[in-house]
Amino acid sequence: MDGSRVAAVDRLAPCALRVRLGNVVTGAVRLVGRDTTCNDLNAEGGGPALALAGSDVVVATAWESTHHHPLLLGPAPRHRLRVVVEGEDADHDLGTFVGSVVGSGARRVYATWGYSWEPEGCDPVDETMACTLGAPVGEVRAFPSQRVLARLSGALLPVQMEGDRIALAAPDGAARVLGLDGVVRADVPAARARSVAVVGDRLVTLRRGSPTLDVWDAATGAAITSIPLARGATGRLDAARVHGDAWVAYRTGASVRAVRLADARSVIVARTPAGRQVTDVQLESPGIAWTTARGPARAPRATVLRFARLP
C-alpha cells in the first residue's frame, strides 16, 4: 500500500500470476501486470513481495523454476510482466539472491545477498570436508537505477520504507534505519525485534516473545519508550502519519489494531468473522488495508482485502 493505492497479486495457476492495483478511496481496480511463464513464487510470508513504484508500477519477487534464478518482475506493455533484475545461479545455496523490495512513493529499493562456504575454498561436494555457510553479505540498491546505497554484512534486509528512510531487520532481532544517501541513521543491534517499521523520527519494533512495541529514536537508536500491545500481536508492523499523528498498525490472529505513539492510545479497527484469520496489515495516511484468509496455512485459502479509516 502507498497512499491510497494498494497492490494485490493472485496466483491463477502454477504458471500464472495476476497483479492488480486498486485505490481504496475511489474503489477503482485495474490490471497492471500478468505473468504466464512458469515461475515458482517466493512464498515467504504467504506470497510474493510487492512494492509500488511511481504512479502505477508493481514489482514482485519470484523464483524462475528452471534455472533457480531469483527474479524481480515488473510490468511491461500489454500487462505482461518482464524480468527487470535477475540474480546469479543459486546452486548449493550459493549465488546471488535478489528480493526484499520496499517502496515509498516513487522511491523503491531492493536487496541482493549471497553466501560463501567456510572455511575459504571448502567444497561441499567433498564429503571429507566439513563445510558451513558463512554469514550473508549483500547490498541495498535503488531501483531501477541499481545504484548501491549500502553494503551489508550479516542478515540485515529492507522490510519497510517511509520517505527517505529504510527500515532493515535481521533474523537475530537487530534493527537499523538507513537513509537513501546510504548513511546509517540508527543502529539497534539489541532490539530483539520480530518486526520493524519507521515513521517520521521514530523506529518501532515488535519485541520477540512479548506483545510489546518498543519505540526508538530513528536518528540515534536511543530507546524512548515501550507500549504494551494486545495478546497475540504478531506479523509485520506498518506505520504512518494519520491526521498528523504517528500510528502503528499490527494484527493478532483475529483482529486488526492500531496504536498512536503520542499517547499509546489503542484502537481495534476490525475483528474477523469466525473461521478467518488476519494475514497482513498495511497502514498509510488514508487508513488501514488488511487481508483475511480462511483455512490452515497449507491449504488453499480465499483471501479478502478490506479497508478502514482510523478515527
Side-chain angles (χ1 to χ4, degrees):
M1 188 176 179
D2 189 31
S4 62
R5 297 172 301 123
V6 60
V9 62
D10 300 323
R11 184 165 186 168
L12 306 177
C15 295
L17 308 178
R18 180 175 61 192
V19 179
R20 294 177 293 176
L21 183 68
N23 188 303
V24 295
V25 175
T26 66
V29 178
R30 65 190 180 91
L31 180 70
V32 294
R34 181 172 57 245
D35 176 59
T36 55
T37 62
C38 207
N39 291 313
D40 291 330
L41 296 186
N42 175 7
E44 181 179 354
L50 299 178
L52 298 179
S55 60
D56 63 355
V57 179
V58 177
V59 179
T61 304
W63 298 89
E64 204 284 320
S65 59
T66 56
H67 300 293
H68 307 289
H69 288 182
L71 309 174
L72 297 186
L73 303 175
R78 298 186 179 181
H79 304 305
R80 304 288 292 184
L81 295 179
R82 61 185 176 87
V83 177
V84 289
V85 180
E86 184 172 2
E88 298 176 3
D89 195 33
D91 189 24
H92 292 291
D93 295 320
L94 302 182
T96 301
F97 297 85
V98 295
S100 296
V101 188
V102 295
S104 178
R107 304 179 179 97
R108 61 272 194 201
V109 302
Y110 70 98
T112 68
W113 66 96
Y115 300 82
S116 60
W117 290 108
E118 293 182 349
E120 185 176 354
C122 195
D123 182 359
V125 179
D126 187 345
E127 296 181 357
T128 65
M129 305 182 73
C131 300
T132 58
L133 280 177
V137 176
E139 297 173 335
V140 176
R141 293 175 175 262
F143 181 83
S145 69
Q146 300 191 41
R147 177 173 61 92
V148 176
L149 303 178
R151 289 182 167 82
L152 305 175
S153 58
L156 281 163
L157 291 173
V159 293
Q160 187 253 4
M161 183 176 177
E162 187 205 46
D164 63 351
R165 289 186 172 96
I166 307 159
L168 300 96
D172 65 1
R176 179 177 294 176
V177 178
L178 182 71
L180 278 175
D181 54 6
V183 175
V184 175
R185 306 292 177 83
D187 219 354
V188 191
R192 293 183 292 159
R194 179 172 181 172
S195 181
V196 177
V198 63
V199 53
D201 58 358
R202 295 293 182 260
L203 170 71
V204 291
T205 59
L206 175 60
R207 191 186 302 174
R208 284 186 176 182
S210 170
T212 302
L213 184 74
D214 293 314
V215 184
W216 315 80
D217 189 314
T220 65
I224 296 176
T225 189
S226 295
I227 301 172
L229 301 179
R231 181 180 300 178
T234 187
R236 71 185 184 94
L237 299 173
D238 204 2
R241 288 199 171 275
V242 182
H243 308 310
D245 293 323
W247 286 81
V248 177
Y250 68 99
R251 64 182 172 91
T252 65
S255 66
V256 178
R257 299 173 183 251
V259 60
R260 188 164 60 189
L261 295 187
D263 56 4
R265 179 193 175 195
S266 181
V267 297
I268 301 174
V269 179
R271 296 186 186 274
T272 59
R276 299 194 71 90
Q277 296 287 306
V278 182
T279 54
D280 194 25
V281 176
Q282 294 191 34
L283 175 66
E284 287 286 338
S285 56
I288 297 179
W290 70 95
T291 54
T292 65
R294 186 186 302 277
R298 296 183 182 275
R301 297 184 295 176
T303 300
V304 176
L305 175 67
R306 300 188 182 277
F307 172 76
R309 297 183 185 275
L310 280 177

